[in-house]
Amino acid sequence: MMRFGSVTGAGPSLALCAVLLAWVAGCGGRDATEPGAVTAAQARIDEVSAATERWAAAVSLREARLAAEEVANLISGPEVPEYGDTDRDGRVAGARDQGLLPGEGAGAGLGLALAGCAGAPLLGGSWAEPQERWDELRDRIAQWRPDNNTFPSLESEALRVVGWARLTLRTSSLAEALEYSGHARVHVDATSDAIRECA
């Protein structure tokens, strides 16, 4: 008779069943993601990707800032204080009812429904306290320097995109804005890949 410590007979089978049930439940959670939620998140990251392309192709700082504002707004949504007309051109680029990420209010964001399949790259951990997550981004932006890139400590790829967008909104250099768009592109692609894994 096979023995595992002091457990014999049916014990290991019951333990194995418990492990398998937990695994199946995890997979079920992934498969249970609403197709509509995946479609909505895919559509949003496609918008972010297109705005990032415009950001990278900008021939003026004004164009770069407009695209960066759109990128940040599409990801953050209206329940984050920095949302809105951050380039001060009189309009809100990327205005939507909710962001890809959860806001600081009651809005869950489009991406929260994909936690079971795209959670690591998209969300980067728990959003039970969303204000803490946005505060962390604010801290990283405040601490960022050309010789001190603080964004790798952000677990969410999507939050890193917002970080690069906000740096663009405060720079006075087109060259820097274009450089930041290249960094953002990497994280947009990683976020997009994660979302598409849910389909």
Side-chain angles (χ1 to χ4, degrees):
M1 178 179 294
M2 184 177 283
R3 293 179 179 272
F4 294 84
S6 61
V7 181
T8 61
S13 298
L14 291 175
L16 181 59
C17 285
V19 171
L20 288 173
L21 284 172
W23 181 81
V24 168
C27 294
R30 178 187 175 107
D31 293 340
T33 302
E34 288 290 330
V38 177
T39 300
Q42 284 180 336
R44 180 61 57 85
I45 199 63
D46 286 346
E47 288 184 274
V48 171
S49 182
T52 304
E53 289 179 13
R54 290 194 296 276
W55 175 6
V59 296
S60 70
L61 186 57
R62 180 179 176 279
E63 288 180 11
R65 285 177 172 168
L66 177 63
E69 176 188 295
E70 183 175 359
V71 166
N73 286 340
L74 287 168
I75 294 174
S76 69
E79 294 184 346
V80 174
E82 295 82 0
Y83 174 90
D85 181 19
T86 46
D87 70 346
R88 298 179 183 153
D89 70 345
R91 67 185 183 116
V92 179
R96 299 292 185 276
D97 291 339
Q98 62 178 323
L100 180 62
L101 293 176
E104 292 184 33
L110 298 174
L112 200 58
L114 278 59
C117 54
L122 173 59
L123 300 170
S126 171
W127 281 79
E129 299 291 340
Q131 184 171 346
E132 291 182 4
R133 300 299 302 274
W134 289 108
D135 283 345
E136 181 185 14
L137 174 62
R138 292 180 191 108
D139 289 344
R140 297 299 175 272
I141 293 171
Q143 297 161 5
W144 190 93
R145 300 289 181 276
D147 60 349
N148 180 37
N149 181 6
T150 54
F151 294 160
S153 64
L154 295 167
E155 296 180 44
S156 165
E157 298 279 355
L159 269 182
R160 295 183 196 184
V161 175
V162 177
W164 291 112
R166 293 198 179 147
L167 286 183
T168 296
L169 288 162
R170 75 180 194 182
T171 188
S172 58
S173 165
L174 175 59
E176 286 182 356
L178 296 179
E179 178 187 344
Y180 299 157
S181 75
H183 292 291
R185 175 85 263 167
V186 173
H187 304 300
V188 169
D189 289 345
T191 304
S192 179
D193 289 346
I195 291 172
R196 292 182 196 291
E197 284 293 316
C198 296

